[in-house]
Amino acid sequence: MNTPLRIGVLKLADSAPVIMGQQKGIFARHGLETGVVVSPSWANIADGLAWNRLDAAVIFAPLAMMTALGRRGHDTGVRPFGRISRGGNTIMLRGTNPVAGVWKAGSRGRQAFECWRTAIGRRPRIAVVHMYSTHLLILRRFLERIDVSMENEIDLSVMPPTDMITALAENAIDGGCVGPPWGTEAEQLGLAFRVGGSATVLPGHIEKILVASGRLLSCETTARRLSAAMHEALAFCQQPGHREEITHVLAAPVADGGLTLPMEATRAILPGGDAAECLAFTGGSLLPSDLDWIISDMMALGWLDNAEHRLLMRWIGPEPADPTRACAGPL
């Protein structure tokens, strides 16, 4: 490739391997000229991939799959490149928690929801970061656990993760499901309390992946170099001993190569932190087993038909006979 590699990210801690890969010179050491594009929303990321404004991006699997299927209004050669992170999503609600801690499944959770809804005095407005997101799927599973219908008992809205803090402060929303560090930031600011999330609904689930454009994948040398660079960057971010350095880099302004993330919340959710919903960085190739629950939920919601399901199985690729081989592949 004769132009810089454009990698899209959002202002999320999951973006750390890309940010550190750039700031630590890892990409450069692997012979890559890269530009990190900090996008304002997931819609911008998807459109950037669909319309060739990005060569790669950190993204959640549901939106990546829908983009690959052409749901952004344009056919695209986007393919999975590897895994980035697990877990980290927080379900947070405004006001006062009627019970201590996270909400239990079944009638106890339902009673807590009723008490909370009565206290806020209206049909709850709950935000997710995109309709085609793991956040929506986690929220739906959580509500099902406490016998609440996502379709009939709440109003859903969509907004970028960085906007949820302001929306909570202004009572524009009553809660949300959001990625790190924004759920922890809302807790630390006293704007919301945690009722559940990745750790309680589906521990260890695949959260962010790296996808690559057809243009990038057509250049084997560039793809191989990016794979090696991301493997090194992920290994760096996995080490708890690097938490302070990563925190300070991510908290720096975008103009200085950071993401302007809140420092204390970011420190708490990185590997080695003490947040309830810590982020875990993971490597290896994306596997069908990583996405079984996501595709099942997408089918249940009517997002996919059987033909699209079959297309996605080919998009992901086969499960290796030896699972350990996947860990030695891209990322």
Side-chain angles (χ1 to χ4, degrees), residues 46 49 59-70 76 78-80 132 209-211 312 315:
L49 291 166
I59 191 172
F60 32 66
L63 182 55
M65 290 188 279
M66 297 303 260
T67 303
L69 289 171
T76 174
V78 169
R79 300 279 299 179
Y132 297 143
I209 63 175
L210 187 72
V211 297
L312 288 176
W315 182 77

Coordinates of all heavy atoms in Angstrom, one line a residue, residues 46 49 59-70 76 78-80 132 209-211 312 315:
A46 N -18.5 2.6 10.8 CA -19.1 1.7 9.8 C -19.1 2.3 8.4 O -18.8 1.6 7.4 CB -20.6 1.3 10.2
L49 N -15.6 2.3 6.9 CA -15.3 1.0 6.3 C -16.0 0.7 5.0 O -15.4 0.2 4.0 CB -15.6 -0.1 7.3 CG -14.7 -0.2 8.6 CD1 -15.4 -1.1 9.6 CD2 -13.3 -0.7 8.3
I59 N -14.0 -2.5 16.3 CA -15.4 -2.4 16.2 C -16.0 -3.6 16.9 O -15.3 -4.6 17.1 CB -15.8 -2.4 14.7 CG1 -17.3 -2.1 14.4 CG2 -15.4 -3.7 14.0 CD1 -17.6 -1.9 13.0
F60 N -17.3 -3.6 17.3 CA -17.9 -4.8 17.8 C -18.5 -5.6 16.7 O -18.9 -5.1 15.6 CB -19.0 -4.5 18.9 CG -19.8 -3.2 18.7 CD1 -20.6 -3.0 17.6 CD2 -19.6 -2.2 19.6 CE1 -21.3 -1.8 17.5 CE2 -20.3 -1.0 19.5 CZ -21.2 -0.8 18.4
A61 N -18.6 -6.9 16.9 CA -18.9 -7.9 15.9 C -20.3 -7.7 15.2 O -20.4 -7.8 14.0 CB -18.8 -9.3 16.4
P62 N -21.3 -7.4 15.9 CA -22.6 -7.2 15.2 C -22.6 -6.2 14.2 O -23.1 -6.4 13.0 CB -23.6 -6.8 16.4 CG -23.0 -7.4 17.6 CD -21.5 -7.3 17.4
L63 N -22.0 -5.0 14.4 CA -22.0 -3.9 13.4 C -21.0 -4.3 12.3 O -21.2 -4.0 11.1 CB -21.5 -2.6 14.1 CG -21.5 -1.4 13.2 CD1 -22.8 -1.2 12.5 CD2 -21.1 -0.2 14.0
A64 N -19.9 -5.0 12.6 CA -19.0 -5.5 11.6 C -19.7 -6.4 10.6 O -19.5 -6.3 9.4 CB -17.8 -6.1 12.2
M65 N -20.5 -7.3 11.2 CA -21.2 -8.3 10.3 C -22.2 -7.6 9.5 O -22.4 -7.9 8.3 CB -21.8 -9.4 11.2 CG -20.7 -10.3 11.8 SD -21.4 -11.8 12.6 CE -21.9 -11.0 14.2
M66 N -23.0 -6.7 10.0 CA -24.0 -6.0 9.3 C -23.4 -5.1 8.2 O -23.9 -4.9 7.1 CB -24.9 -5.2 10.2 CG -25.6 -6.0 11.2 SD -26.7 -7.2 10.5 CE -28.3 -6.4 10.6
T67 N -22.2 -4.5 8.5 CA -21.5 -3.7 7.5 C -21.0 -4.6 6.4 O -21.1 -4.3 5.2 CB -20.3 -3.0 8.1 OG1 -20.8 -2.2 9.2 CG2 -19.6 -2.1 7.1
A68 N -20.5 -5.8 6.7 CA -20.0 -6.8 5.7 C -21.2 -7.2 4.8 O -21.0 -7.5 3.6 CB -19.4 -8.0 6.4
L69 N -22.4 -7.3 5.4 CA -23.6 -7.7 4.6 C -24.1 -6.6 3.7 O -25.1 -6.7 3.0 CB -24.6 -8.2 5.5 CG -24.4 -9.6 6.2 CD1 -25.4 -9.8 7.3 CD2 -24.3 -10.7 5.2
G70 N -23.5 -5.4 3.8 CA -24.0 -4.3 3.0 C -25.1 -3.4 3.6 O -25.7 -2.6 2.9
T76 N -19.1 -4.2 0.7 CA -17.8 -3.9 1.3 C -17.1 -5.2 1.4 O -17.6 -6.3 1.6 CB -18.0 -3.3 2.7 OG1 -16.7 -3.2 3.2 CG2 -18.9 -4.1 3.6
V78 N -15.0 -5.9 3.8 CA -14.5 -6.0 5.2 C -14.5 -7.4 5.7 O -15.5 -8.2 5.5 CB -15.4 -5.1 6.1 CG1 -15.1 -5.4 7.6 CG2 -15.2 -3.6 5.8
R79 N -13.4 -7.8 6.3 CA -13.2 -9.1 6.9 C -12.7 -9.0 8.3 O -12.0 -8.1 8.6 CB -12.3 -9.9 6.0 CG -12.7 -10.1 4.6 CD -13.6 -11.2 4.4 NE -13.1 -12.5 4.8 CZ -13.8 -13.6 4.8 NH1 -15.0 -13.6 4.4 NH2 -13.2 -14.8 5.2
P80 N -13.0 -10.0 9.1 CA -12.4 -10.1 10.5 C -10.9 -10.3 10.4 O -10.4 -11.1 9.6 CB -13.1 -11.2 11.1 CG -13.5 -12.1 10.0 CD -13.8 -11.2 8.9
Y132 N -26.9 -2.1 16.3 CA -26.2 -3.3 16.0 C -25.0 -3.5 16.9 O -23.9 -3.4 16.4 CB -25.8 -3.4 14.5 CG -27.0 -3.4 13.6 CD1 -26.9 -2.7 12.4 CD2 -28.2 -4.0 13.9 CE1 -28.0 -2.7 11.5 CE2 -29.3 -4.0 13.0 CZ -29.2 -3.3 11.8 OH -30.2 -3.3 10.9
I209 N -13.4 -6.4 18.0 CA -12.6 -7.1 17.1 C -11.9 -6.1 16.2 O -12.3 -4.9 16.1 CB -13.3 -8.2 16.3 CG1 -14.4 -7.5 15.4 CG2 -14.0 -9.2 17.2 CD1 -15.1 -8.4 14.4
L210 N -10.9 -6.5 15.5 CA -10.3 -5.7 14.4 C -10.7 -6.2 13.1 O -10.7 -7.4 12.9 CB -8.7 -5.7 14.5 CG -8.0 -4.7 13.6 CD1 -8.2 -3.3 14.1 CD2 -6.6 -5.0 13.4
V211 N -11.3 -5.4 12.3 CA -11.6 -5.8 10.9 C -10.7 -5.0 9.9 O -10.2 -3.9 10.2 CB -13.1 -5.5 10.6 CG1 -14.0 -6.3 11.5 CG2 -13.4 -4.0 10.7
L312 N -22.4 -15.3 6.8 CA -21.6 -14.9 7.9 C -20.7 -16.1 8.3 O -19.6 -15.9 8.8 CB -22.4 -14.4 9.0 CG -23.1 -13.1 8.8 CD1 -24.0 -12.7 10.0 CD2 -22.0 -12.0 8.6
W315 N -17.9 -15.9 6.2 CA -17.2 -14.6 6.5 C -16.2 -14.9 7.7 O -15.1 -14.4 7.6 CB -18.2 -13.5 6.8 CG -17.6 -12.2 7.2 CD1 -17.2 -11.3 6.3 CD2 -17.5 -11.6 8.5 NE1 -16.8 -10.1 6.9 CE2 -17.0 -10.3 8.3 CE3 -17.9 -12.0 9.7 CZ2 -16.8 -9.4 9.3 CZ3 -17.6 -11.1 10.8 CH2 -17.1 -9.8 10.6

